[in-house]
Amino acid sequence: MISVLGAGAFGTALAVSMQRESDARTVWLWGRNADVMAQMQASRETPRLPGVSLPDGLTCASDMASLPAHGPILLATPMQTLRALLTTHAAQLSHRTLVICCKGIELSSGLRASEVLAEVLPDATPATLTGPSFAADIARGLPTALTLACGDANCAETLQNQLSTHSLRLYSSTDIIGAELGGALKNVIAIACGAAIGAGLGESARAALLTRGYAEMQRMAAALGAQPETLAGLSGFGDLTLTCTSEQSRNYRFGASIGRGEAFDPAVTVEGAATARATHDVAKRLNLDMPITAVVTGLVEARLDVATAMDMLLSRPLKKE
């Protein structure tokens, strides 16, 4: 049995993929809105993924009392609401294997998702599922590769076998720090790249921001104990490349709207906005030089416009690569 908490586009896509591609699995999908989940259960479709049919074996529910007692639980809720979810349902989630599917750093504490989990549920086993992916691709069965990281190598391998499908290929890792940081920090750089393209600064500017942004990601990851090779893999460079170059990325689109001077739909979750502010705080605490993160924080907080932000980056002292 596989349980997925969070019936947004990504959580539903994971549930669809894992149920559709294996009759041996049974997948249980939970969402907070009882009416929405009842409609999904009856209609076998969701407005979050137009044109995607929910497999017959997939159960849609809103009552946590019916959470299956065995098997891994995937947490596909936004980063900034993760603590509340864990706290509210601590009794059901304690002592379970919890696979974190959100990407970000908690704004109020500066903690990674697995650190939040350890604070709230110290008896649970944390893992993270992250990498270059869009919900629509996963739901349609298009080839996708992700990183499954857990500090326990045996648990990582078990989860890799439990959660992989024919089209969703998982690579195991024991570097949960690096995997989480790659998934979180790339969203900040995606906002920068989107802002550059939205402002008409060109593809060369995007390439520069992507590359120097990757250097910032590596800098923070090293300071926090991540393995350098993790950032060169799917959860780091892979996710960064996808998120900084596609209109499907909410963070990239958010940045592009800033560059064009347009309003962005407040109903759309943009994990990179809060993560930029949290990362900037952590960088200051660790005395890390992260200039792109700093200007993205200024853009998110409307303290800077794109022209000023770019001038701040271009006027920095010249240095070796």
Side-chain angles (χ1 to χ4, degrees):
M1 174 66 75
I2 297 171
S3 302
V4 181
L5 305 188
F10 194 70
T12 303
L14 289 173
V16 167
S17 175
M18 292 174 186
Q19 182 64 74
R20 180 182 56 213
E21 298 197 29
S22 176
D23 294 334
R25 293 189 182 97
T26 302
V27 182
W28 185 87
L29 175 65
W30 174 87
R32 288 173 296 188
N33 189 308
D35 291 338
V36 170
M37 299 311 292
Q39 178 64 25
M40 287 173 61
Q41 179 69 15
S43 68
R44 314 310 299 170
E45 51 187 33
T46 171
R48 299 286 188 136
L49 295 168
V52 174
S53 297
L54 305 184
D56 290 338
L58 174 61
T59 299
C60 302
S62 60
D63 183 5
M64 279 291 288
S66 62
L67 175 71
H70 303 286
I73 301 172
L74 279 61
L75 306 176
T77 57
M79 176 65 210
Q80 304 307 322
T81 64
L82 178 63
R83 184 183 293 273
L85 175 76
L86 298 174
T87 302
T88 301
H89 302 294
Q92 295 98 325
L93 300 179
S94 184
H95 299 284
R96 300 292 296 271
T97 298
L98 305 179
V99 182
I100 300 159
C101 302
C102 54
K103 301 173 181 179
I105 295 176
E106 188 176 51
L107 180 57
S108 61
S109 67
L111 297 178
R112 295 176 287 104
S114 64
E115 294 177 311
V116 173
L117 194 157
E119 276 196 355
V120 180
L121 297 173
D123 296 322
T125 300
T128 189
L129 182 63
T130 184
S133 57
F134 291 130
D137 292 347
I138 294 174
R140 292 168 58 199
L142 300 180
T144 302
L146 301 176
T147 297
L148 190 290
C150 180
D152 183 322
N154 291 329
C155 181
E157 184 176 352
T158 297
L159 288 169
Q160 178 186 31
N161 291 321
Q162 286 178 317
L163 303 179
S164 292
T165 72
H166 178 68
S167 62
L168 184 61
R169 182 176 177 85
L170 305 186
Y171 288 80
S172 65
S173 170
T174 56
D175 184 14
I176 196 168
I177 298 175
E180 286 186 322
L181 287 174
L185 301 180
K186 59 90 184 180
N187 284 333
V188 179
I189 309 307
I191 293 175
C193 289
I197 296 300
L201 300 181
E203 297 290 348
S204 297
R206 168 163 44 190
L209 289 166
L210 193 156
T211 308
R212 296 311 303 165
Y214 182 53
E216 291 190 16
M217 292 169 58
Q218 292 176 305
R219 200 171 298 142
M220 175 164 280
L224 294 176
Q227 299 170 14
E229 58 268 26
T230 303
L231 273 291
L234 290 164
S235 59
F237 182 72
D239 211 355
L240 176 70
T241 301
L242 182 68
T243 310
C244 291
T245 58
S246 176
E247 286 283 348
Q248 291 189 65
S249 165
R250 291 170 295 182
N251 293 281
Y252 177 83
R253 294 201 311 272
F254 175 68
S257 72
I258 293 176
R260 293 191 295 263
E262 299 173 354
F264 192 76
D265 185 355
V268 176
T269 300
V270 181
E271 295 281 24
T275 296
R277 297 163 64 192
T279 302
H280 185 48
D281 289 341
V282 173
K284 288 191 294 184
R285 174 167 53 84
L286 297 177
N287 196 28
L288 295 175
D289 184 30
M290 299 183 68
I292 297 175
T293 299
V295 299
V296 169
T297 301
L299 292 173
V300 166
E301 296 179 344
R303 293 185 286 102
L304 297 175
D305 58 28
V306 175
T308 302
M310 188 56 65
D311 185 64
M312 290 173 63
L313 293 175
L314 292 175
S315 62
R316 284 169 49 81
L318 299 175
K319 58 188 293 186
K320 291 182 179 179
E321 187 171 22

